[in-house]
Amino acid sequence: MTLPANVTATSPAVDPLPVLPQAPSLKNTYGAVLIGTYVSLILYGMTLHQAYRYSRLSTSDSSATKYYVAGLLVLDTFHTVLCMHMCYWYLVQNYFDPLRLYTGVWSINVLSVVVGVTIICCQCFYARRVYLLGRQYRYLVLVTVIMFIAELGCAIASAVQAFVLPDFSQFRKVTWLISAGFGIAVVADALLTGVLILALNRSRTGFRRTDSMIDVLILYAMCTGLVTDLFSVLSFLFALILPNEMIYVGCDSVAAKLYVNSVLAALNFRQSFISGEDNGALAGVVDLFRRPRPDTESANEQSVSGPIFLNSIVSSAPRQQPQKGRLEEHISQSQVLNIGPHIED
């Protein structure tokens, strides 16, 4: 084999690495996306388990509710496919083409719309729950619907910009759209959760048995709201503070999965609460923070009109006045948990 004319045997070896384009740092960009995908896949497995449990426990639900759950499962599955596709496309298929890391692919471009639609569908579940509490709360539901429209607008606008802009270096100028969408989502969640807690708190009867059940429902509403809002706040902050990095993309994916899991868990919680599977554990937590009171209550000391909230949502409750000393039996556990079909369904 002969050497080229301009190369001699004593010529120094040429290092090909400086000739290649410099790749962006993967730690806080696609590394964050990969970690978010890992967590999302774990949560997707929980979603499948929750959906299977719902199909076994809630056979008496309306067809509309079942179609709603099926639609959420389809959205969540499509979101999972998007996460896996963008990780494979960037980190496997184009692993030796650093320039590809600067450009978008269809899966990451439409991700914001899929996440936004998924979150809004889950929030509509909670908005309907508040809508059925009473007429006095319905104007707040109208406010949240306006917020949902604004969320969807931010998601669509960010997706359009992702397709229009040539590379990610320019997309940082419009990450405020993603931040604004999650900020609106957090405000809407706080409003819906606050109204639900207020309505439940007003429905107290003064009896330990019914008040304990209401405390469990309040605690459950607070816990589910905090978990979803935590990652929504993280997405809001990272998209606003670190627009050049993609940490917010990983948080977006986890937030969408948590919303779907929270809705399915709320639907499944009805049966568990009625059968007492989860009531005891949550009630034990509530008792740690409750001030003890003497067990000297009687029906003469309580107002029968106290549980207005419960009476308003239990359409099958008897119309006749309960006998003295038997108010707890009149508002039985099954009647209190008729909140399920109205609030959780």
Side-chain angles (χ1 to χ4, degrees), residues 123-134:
Q123 289 177 321
C124 288
F125 169 84
Y126 297 109
R128 179 178 179 271
R129 183 172 64 176
V130 174
Y131 178 84
L132 294 173
L133 293 180

Side-chain angles (χ1 to χ4, degrees), residues 68-85:
Y68 171 76
V69 172
L72 282 183
L73 188 60
V74 170
L75 273 175
D76 202 35
T77 302
F78 183 55
H79 174 260
T80 303
V81 172
L82 293 180
C83 293
M84 292 189 297
H85 177 269

Side-chain angles (χ1 to χ4, degrees), residues 24-25 28-29 168-173 175 238-248:
S25 175
N28 294 329
T29 53
F168 290 141
S169 62
Q170 299 184 24
F171 186 75
R172 63 184 180 181
K173 301 176 183 178
T175 53
F238 284 125
L240 189 65
I241 299 174
L242 301 174
N244 293 327
E245 300 175 356
M246 301 175 68
I247 302 176
Y248 65 90

Side-chain angles (χ1 to χ4, degrees), residues 44 47-48 51-52 65-84 111 113-115 117-119 121-122 256-257 260-261 264:
Y44 180 66
T47 300
L48 295 178
Y52 171 76
T65 304
K66 294 177 181 178
Y67 285 130
Y68 171 76
V69 172
L72 282 183
L73 188 60
V74 170
L75 273 175
D76 202 35
T77 302
F78 183 55
H79 174 260
T80 303
V81 172
L82 293 180
C83 293
M84 292 189 297
L111 185 66
V113 174
V114 176
V115 170
V117 172
T118 302
I119 292 177
C121 289
C122 295
K257 299 297 184 188
V260 175
N261 271 282
L264 294 177

Side-chain angles (χ1 to χ4, degrees), residues 205 207 209-210 297-304 307 318 320-333 335:
T205 64
F207 284 91
R209 179 180 175 185
T210 53
E297 299 137 336
S298 65
N300 293 329
E301 296 174 352
Q302 305 296 329
S303 172
V304 177
Q320 64 270 21
Q321 191 80 357
Q323 298 179 358
K324 294 183 178 181
R326 299 182 63 83
L327 183 59
E328 283 189 315
E329 296 180 6
H330 176 66
I331 307 175
S332 62
Q333 183 177 6
Q335 289 175 330

Side-chain angles (χ1 to χ4, degrees), residues 169-187:
S169 62
Q170 299 184 24
F171 186 75
R172 63 184 180 181
K173 301 176 183 178
V174 295
T175 53
W176 65 269
L177 290 170
I178 298 176
S179 180
F182 275 97
I184 297 171
V186 171
V187 175

Side-chain angles (χ1 to χ4, degrees), residues 89-157:
W89 195 85
Y90 284 110
L91 303 178
V92 178
Q93 184 175 343
N94 295 287
Y95 76 101
F96 205 60
D97 190 357
L99 292 179
R100 290 287 187 178
L101 300 179
Y102 292 98
T103 59
V105 66
W106 66 270
S107 55
I108 197 171
N109 290 341
V110 302
L111 185 66
S112 60
V113 174
V114 176
V115 170
V117 172
T118 302
I119 292 177
I120 291 172
C121 289
C122 295
Q123 289 177 321
C124 288
F125 169 84
Y126 297 109
R128 179 178 179 271
R129 183 172 64 176
V130 174
Y131 178 84
L132 294 173
L133 293 180
R135 295 180 180 272
Q136 66 272 29
Y137 302 110
R138 291 181 180 177
Y139 72 95
L140 294 175
V141 176
L142 178 61
V143 174
T144 57
V145 169
I146 296 174
M147 292 182 180
F148 298 162
I149 296 174
E151 287 180 49
L152 183 61
C154 291
I156 294 175

Side-chain angles (χ1 to χ4, degrees), residues 26-47:
L26 298 180
K27 184 177 180 180
N28 294 329
T29 53
Y30 295 102
V33 173
L34 186 63
I35 294 175
T37 301
Y38 289 157
V39 179
S40 297
L41 290 174
I42 296 173
L43 294 174
Y44 180 66
M46 295 177 62
T47 300

